[in-house]
Amino acid sequence: MNRKGPLAAAVPTHRRVVTLPGRGRTTIWEAPGPPGAPVLLLLHGATLNAELNWSGVINTLGRHYRVVAPDQRGHGDGPRCSVFRLEDCADDAAALATELGIDRFVAVGYSMGGFVAQLLWHRHRERVAGLVLCSTARNMCGSPWERSVAMLLPSAVATAAWFPALYPLGADLIAAGLLDHDLGPAERSWALAQMRRTTLRNALSTVQAVSAFSSHDWIGSVDVPAAAVLTRHDRVVPVRRQWKLARAIPGSTVIEVDGDHGVFVSSPGRFAAAVLAGCHAVCAGPVDELDTEPTTTAS
């Protein structure tokens, strides 16, 4: 992976293009893991791509698991779309697993990817062996201010679609605030370049879909092992909402990590340790080789 950051070379990581019949093509990053290891399907957040969200994690996870990280619909090199729907992302992920010959997997979702992971269980329960939900919630539109912003999104999406001058603009115009303020210049430049691989139009359509999502009515029925990785200082997904999600899922394990919403770039080792602990909790694996010791509790 061509990133400016502390990505070790201990685990072989491959990038390739996969065609999903009837759905388009996507680029995936993958690590084979040990023979017979459980499969982790990593689902990135809104305005990100697999390389940006997961490049600091794949090597750590790949020592224990087979790892597959696709670019999602409308993002990076994911399948193209005119209207972004989270349900399509969930169906893409299930189709990718089929194409790769994977029967069951643990869905690991970050932020918006956590919504997609929840939908994967809801729509394709026979495929999902567990959930690791990072920096995410049951919904993202609860307060009056958030509802007001959501009401303006359709107009913003239409504007981006109707004015050709806006087509070349990238997601970094609205997503730069996801990055931690103290991020180094090289890391920030690399992260913004990755964000620019998603168009502003697709980013706005994604935010509109995210604002409309809610799993309140069914998330309490989750019947597979689950873990929630909580970012304690998150400015995008308030930690109280992350806790509400964790407490709504019966028997879920909570992993707390010091960091903001951009912890995957600013502190990749710390983030990787927390995600690994969540995966071990879901897969009943050993908690070893952690870069830092996360706080683990039962919800």
Side-chain angles (χ1 to χ4, degrees):
M1 297 183 184
N2 298 319
R3 64 157 295 173
K4 297 181 182 296
L7 181 61
V11 175
T13 304
H14 308 285
R15 178 181 183 270
R16 62 180 169 123
V17 176
V18 177
T19 298
L20 308 178
R23 310 191 68 83
R25 299 193 305 172
T26 187
T27 294
I28 67 171
W29 294 95
E30 56 185 340
V39 180
L40 307 179
L41 182 59
L42 309 186
L43 303 163
H44 64 73
T47 73
L48 310 178
N49 60 14
E51 185 174 4
L52 174 53
N53 205 154
W54 300 114
S55 62
V57 172
I58 290 179
N59 273 282
T60 297
L61 299 180
R63 299 186 189 110
H64 307 271
Y65 304 99
R66 179 182 176 186
V67 181
V68 178
D71 279 1
Q72 297 201 73
R73 178 170 292 263
H75 291 70
D77 295 323
R80 299 296 175 243
C81 64
S82 56
V83 177
F84 180 88
R85 298 176 67 250
L86 291 166
E87 291 82 0
D88 288 334
C89 291
D91 295 346
D92 288 342
L96 174 62
T98 298
E99 194 66 19
L100 298 179
I102 299 169
D103 291 328
R104 283 170 63 80
F105 53 83
V106 174
V108 183
Y110 184 84
S111 194
M112 176 201 78
F115 291 175
V116 177
Q118 293 173 59
L119 282 168
L120 260 171
W121 174 84
H122 191 54
R123 296 168 69 86
H124 303 277
R125 300 187 187 188
E126 73 285 356
R127 311 300 297 273
V128 178
L131 295 170
V132 179
L133 306 173
C134 311
S135 304
T136 192
R138 297 176 299 176
N139 73 297
M140 282 291 290
C141 190
S143 71
W145 180 85
E146 289 167 330
R147 289 194 293 270
S148 297
V149 171
M151 291 176 63
L152 298 175
L153 284 170
S155 297
V157 173
T159 299
W162 280 100
F163 287 89
L166 299 179
Y167 292 175
L169 300 181
D172 59 304
L173 289 180
I174 63 170
L178 297 178
L179 304 176
D180 292 358
H181 297 306
D182 59 352
L183 196 64
E187 287 77 12
R188 179 174 291 276
S189 176
W190 172 79
L192 293 175
Q194 294 293 326
M195 289 177 174
R196 281 192 287 273
R197 294 175 59 201
T198 297
T199 67
L200 176 63
R201 176 183 176 183
N202 281 345
L204 289 170
S205 183
T206 299
V207 174
Q208 183 179 4
V210 165
S211 297
F213 174 82
S214 175
S215 61
H216 281 79
D217 292 342
W218 47 264
I219 195 63
S221 300
V222 167
D223 56 359
V224 295
V229 176
L230 276 55
T231 37
R232 290 182 178 135
H233 312 297
D234 204 310
R235 294 169 294 123
V236 177
V237 184
V239 70
R240 69 180 186 278
R241 285 191 178 166
Q242 299 180 51
W243 269 110
K244 287 180 180 178
L245 170 64
R247 289 167 176 155
I249 301 175
S252 65
T253 299
V254 173
I255 314 294
E256 295 186 74
V257 58
D258 284 322
D260 198 351
H261 205 70
V263 68
F264 55 89
V265 177
S266 60
S267 300
R270 184 186 306 158
F271 179 59
V275 176
L276 179 61
C279 293
H280 280 341
V282 166
C283 298
V287 180
D288 57 4
E289 297 187 27
L290 299 183
D291 297 299
T292 185
E293 190 70 26
T295 302
T296 307
T297 59
S299 65

